[in-house]
Amino acid sequence: MSDDVMIRMNQIYKKFNQLEVLKGIDLEVKRGEVLAIIGPSGSGKSTLLRCLNRLETIEKGTIEVEGEFLVQEKNSITTYTDAVTAKMILGKMGMVFQQFNLFPHMTVLENLIEAPILVKNMKSGDIIPVAEQLLAKVGLLDKRDVYPSRLSGGQKQRVAIARALTMKPDIMLFDEPTSALDPELTGEVLKTMRQLAEEHMTMIVVTHEMAFAREVANKVIFMADGEIVEQGNPQSLFANPQELRTKSFLQNML
């Protein structure tokens, strides 16, 4: 794997019972690239992301992260790596979900420092300054001692992004991070994500925000029915889609 390829997924197949949700997906993400995945609901976008960080397991295929195999196919048998290697690989990726998944009984700061202390055995004295810096970065340092119930949806999602960043991931995965938000709160979350993109964070973003995909992503993938129908740079894909399904989807969305 060349140094600049961060993620490679080959021939990914995933079923739920008899329903085939992913049908032979191939995907490559380079260092510092922002990949936006768009497509109708039920097209397999979120499942693809969940397979990447092992919230779902695949039936078939190969997933490689920074040159390490999370799962690979050998002699037509699909095998996941051992627990230690998997933990190391998954530690390179931070995930932000639709629902913010903050711990309600912990303050904002406690939410941020929990994983580094538990997973990386960091001392709270070492991680608190990092957490405060990240809260400042997402514009929420003044909320450090507040409980999540006192935050707006947009604030919760920015805390969730800051929390993922405390683990110092190389890659950030976003699963429709604004779909649970009111339109006026969506902007503040996208602004935070835009800032990460400007800092060349490698990002995969499943999104319904076409403007974000067009302006911030380096590459856009359009998925439908568990397949990649079309991919390319945002300018050409939005201005001149080649596939009929892409065209009709974009006409509905734009």
Side-chain angles (χ1 to χ4, degrees):
M1 188 184 257
S2 66
D3 286 348
D4 63 339
V5 176
M6 300 288 271
I7 289 174
R8 190 173 280 145
M9 298 175 92
N10 277 104
Q11 287 300 297
I12 303 297
Y13 285 86
K14 169 70 187 163
K15 269 188 189 151
F16 290 121
N17 300 324
Q18 291 311 301
L19 181 68
E20 206 165 26
V21 197
L22 298 174
K23 307 169 186 171
I25 299 285
D26 292 323
L27 181 76
E28 202 170 86
V29 183
K30 293 194 167 74
R31 185 181 302 280
E33 196 165 56
V34 179
L35 169 67
I37 304 179
I38 63 172
S41 295
S43 56
K45 308 183 299 294
S46 294
T47 303
L48 184 64
L49 222 49
R50 293 171 70 84
C51 290
L52 186 54
N53 77 351
R54 215 183 159 169
L55 293 170
E56 303 286 356
T57 52
I58 61 173
E59 263 72 58
K60 213 172 139 215
T62 298
I63 299 176
E64 202 179 344
V65 179
E66 293 188 45
E68 300 274 352
F69 285 103
L70 176 64
V71 54
Q72 60 180 319
E73 200 170 326
K74 280 189 191 151
N75 310 327
S76 66
I77 297 169
T78 302
T79 316
Y80 275 87
T81 185
D82 61 274
V84 175
T85 311
K87 186 180 171 184
M88 185 269 297
I89 292 171
L90 297 172
K92 296 170 184 282
M93 296 183 280
M95 177 107 176
V96 177
F97 300 87
Q98 271 176 10
Q99 300 301 338
F100 325 111
N101 296 354
L102 298 177
F103 297 116
H105 61 288
M106 293 182 179
T107 64
V108 164
L109 184 69
E110 288 165 349
N111 263 286
L112 263 70
I113 66 176
E114 174 82 351
I117 290 171
L118 281 183
V119 179
K120 290 195 167 176
N121 303 321
M122 289 183 74
K123 298 199 166 42
S124 59
D126 294 333
I127 190 60
I128 286 173
V130 176
E132 289 178 333
Q133 209 176 349
L134 287 166
L135 285 173
K137 177 185 178 115
V138 300
L140 291 172
L141 184 56
D142 58 330
K143 304 287 186 198
R144 75 187 281 270
D145 301 317
V146 167
Y147 287 91
S149 59
R150 307 300 304 255
L151 302 176
S152 72
Q155 290 170 331
K156 285 178 190 166
Q157 196 57 297
R158 279 148 61 201
V159 170
I161 293 171
R163 180 178 62 177
L165 292 170
T166 57
M167 294 295 281
K168 296 204 161 32
D170 296 341
I171 299 156
M172 283 286 282
L173 310 176
F174 293 90
D175 186 10
E176 304 201 15
T178 58
S179 66
L181 302 179
D182 298 333
E184 68 270 22
L185 301 176
T186 295
E188 60 190 56
V189 174
L190 293 177
K191 182 178 163 202
T192 299
M193 293 167 64
R194 194 165 274 173
Q195 190 184 339
L196 286 177
E198 282 163 9
E199 293 163 10
H200 307 294
M201 169 62 83
T202 307
M203 292 158 64
I204 301 182
V205 186
V206 170
T207 186
H208 286 302
E209 299 293 332
M210 295 301 128
F212 178 85
R214 188 162 42 188
E215 292 157 23
V216 182
N218 314 99
K219 186 159 92 183
V220 177
I221 280 178
F222 170 68
M223 279 182 74
D225 304 319
E227 296 176 316
I228 292 176
V229 176
E230 187 167 350
Q231 56 183 311
N233 72 48
Q235 288 69 31
S236 60
L237 191 125
F238 281 99
N240 188 18
Q242 300 302 303
E243 299 289 332
L244 198 57
R245 281 192 288 181
T246 318
K247 254 178 214 155
S248 66
F249 173 78
L250 290 174
Q251 274 162 356
N252 289 334
M253 293 298 286
L254 297 175

